[in-house]
Every structure is written in C-alpha cells, then in structure tokens.
Amino acid sequence: MRIDGNAAIVTGGGSGLGAATARHLAAEGAKVAIFDFDAERGAAVAEEIGGLFRKVDVSDAEAVGAALESAAEDLGEAPRIAVNCAGIGTAARIVGREGKLSIDVFERTLKVNLFGTFNVMSHAARLISGLEPLDGGERGVIINTASVAFEDGQLGQTAYAASKGGIASLCLPAARELAQFGIRVVAIAPGLFHTPMMQCLPEEVTKKITENIPFPDRLGEPHEYALLAGQIITNPYLNGTTIRLDGAVRLPRR
C-alpha cells in the first residue's frame, strides 16, 4: 500500500518513536493525525508536519473511539494506516523492599501498553473495514509496538514485559481475524533506542548498555523505527508477525 495520499494515525506521536514515525509518514505524503497524552509535545509535532493533534488517553476505549471519529472527519477520510507507539516504561520488582508489592504498577502498565494498543487497533479496524479496498484487496495496515523485552525481560520488568508480550501474542490472531477485511497487522519489537527514557540516563550507564549490542554497537535511532514502519506499510506480504529491530541484542538478566 502506498503511503502517499493516505491518512494515518500515530499514537505516542509527540516524542520518540512515534514522533519520528509521524514525521516520516508526513514526509512521504500521508495525512497524519497524532494522538498523545502530552498535549504540548503532540501539538508541536503536529504543527511541524502539518498534521492534526488529539489529546488522548489510549487506555480509555471510549475516548479513543471519539478521537478516531473526529480525526477521520477532519482528515476527510478514515485512516488506512494506524501505528501504535503510545506506551509507558515501568520498572518494579514483584516483591520489593519491605515486602512492597507492585500490583498497581502491573495493572497500570497493562492498561496503557496492552489495553491501549488493543483499544486503538479495535477502533481503527472498525473504520478501516468500511473503506473501499485497494488493488489486491487491501484496505489498511495496523502496526503495533512490542519490545525485545517480550522475550528478554529483565529484573524488574515483569509488568513491562508482560504488556509487550501481549502485544506480540495478539499479532497473529488479530491478523488472521482482520484478514477478511483486507487489514494487515504487524508488530515491531524495538531494542534499545534513543528515546526520552534513554536520553535521561547518565553517559556511563548508556555506555554500559550499548556494550551488549553486537552491531551496530550503538542505540537505535527513532528514524530507523520509522523507516521499518514505512517498509511494513508498503510491503503487502508482511502480515501477522513480530519483527525485532535491535542490532542483534539479547538483553542480559539485569
């Protein structure tokens, strides 16, 4: 499917992987709507690329549906492209100091990362399924963001790894189910990237992290995620799979 001329939504588009993806799709000729909980950052990126912005908590299914309907109206058509980058990175031991449990962290992480992805995917699929099919019968594509943590979860990452594992696991059954509408579903599992979460780390910590990355021996750049997202959109035979984008890294125990 071509990017040029089609409408797209990007969640988490105010920073990091989402912002890079929104910029890339806009540069390729897509009409882009950014969904983000951070109104200041989201609106700034939308203005930069000539797109739309909606402040959205992706864990709120009703709000997601309303935002998608509103964006489709202002874009002049329902989006054929949906890229889910919204998420939170949390770290907490199952049983921490003095016996403190992290059940609240687990619940919040799954609500934002996993339920949020499912909410956007569901509402986007509903709108895409009503569009006219393109050549080959394709109507659209949904790209979700997992993480290498779904396979290599480290100490303190039970909540995060579980949320990203859920995203990876739903990819194939979702692709099989939505195939009847000509909708593809693919997940990207990024490794260690230059995102706001990583950029706040001390230089010595970043150096230690990158020592474990075989090649290229550096953090990934957000535009490399965006490049893969663009390749998924334009390659009609990519479907139902989770692609690791990680420089061949395998995360150690901690």
Side-chain angles (χ1 to χ4, degrees), residues 151-163:
E151 292 183 319
D152 306 344
Q154 297 178 293
L155 287 172
Q157 285 191 332
T158 50
Y160 185 72
S163 70

Side-chain angles (χ1 to χ4, degrees), residues 13-99:
S15 62
L17 306 180
T21 301
R23 292 184 178 109
H24 178 73
L25 296 181
E28 292 292 316
K31 297 176 287 184
V32 181
I34 289 174
F35 290 6
D36 203 299
F37 193 68
D38 187 327
E40 184 176 352
R41 288 184 174 182
V45 176
E47 182 177 4
E48 173 194 333
I49 65 173
L52 303 177
F53 171 71
R54 296 290 183 273
K55 181 176 179 178
V56 184
D57 176 357
V58 294
S59 69
D60 184 337
E62 187 174 337
V64 168
L68 266 166
E69 293 282 358
S70 171
E73 183 175 346
D74 285 353
L75 289 169
E77 60 182 311
R80 291 189 185 271
I81 301 163
V83 185
N84 273 304
C85 293
I88 56 175
T90 54
R93 298 290 183 100
I94 297 169
V95 181
R97 294 178 180 176
E98 300 177 352

Side-chain angles (χ1 to χ4, degrees), residues 29-228:
K31 297 176 287 184
V32 181
I34 289 174
F35 290 6
D36 203 299
F37 193 68
D38 187 327
E40 184 176 352
R41 288 184 174 182
V45 176
E47 182 177 4
E48 173 194 333
I49 65 173
L52 303 177
F53 171 71
R54 296 290 183 273
K55 181 176 179 178
V56 184
D57 176 357
V58 294
S59 69
D60 184 337
E62 187 174 337
V64 168
L68 266 166
E69 293 282 358
S70 171
E73 183 175 346
D74 285 353
L75 289 169
E77 60 182 311
R80 291 189 185 271
I81 301 163
V83 185
N84 273 304
C85 293
I88 56 175
T90 54
R93 298 290 183 100
I94 297 169
V95 181
R97 294 178 180 176
E98 300 177 352
K100 177 177 172 55
L101 303 183
S102 59
I103 295 170
D104 58 334
V105 174
F106 191 89
E107 182 178 7
R108 178 169 175 264
T109 304
L110 263 69
K111 278 186 175 179
V112 175
N113 293 357
L114 180 56
F115 281 61
T117 295
F118 189 81
N119 290 339
V120 176
M121 182 177 69
S122 300
H123 283 289
R126 177 177 57 82
L127 292 182
I128 295 171
S129 65
L131 296 172
E132 288 297 315
L134 303 171
D135 292 344
E138 184 175 14
R139 284 188 170 87
V141 58
I142 298 169
I143 300 172
N144 298 325
T145 304
S147 163
V148 295
F150 92 95
E151 292 183 319
D152 306 344
Q154 297 178 293
L155 287 172
Q157 285 191 332
T158 50
Y160 185 72
S163 70
K164 295 302 186 176
I167 292 171
S169 293
L170 65 78
C171 183
L172 179 59
R176 287 172 165 171
E177 181 176 332
L178 297 178
Q180 62 181 311
F181 305 115
I183 301 172
R184 294 183 290 121
V185 181
V186 178
I188 301 174
L192 304 167
F193 272 68
H194 269 299
T195 61
M197 182 172 63
M198 294 294 293
Q199 288 167 356
C200 68
L201 295 176
E203 184 178 346
E204 62 271 17
V205 175
T206 301
K207 184 176 183 297
K208 184 177 180 181
I209 290 172
T210 56
E211 285 174 353
N212 191 49
I213 304 173
F215 186 81
D217 56 349
R218 59 170 174 78
L219 296 178
E221 297 294 342
H223 74 84
E224 293 169 322
Y225 174 98
L227 181 62
L228 179 56

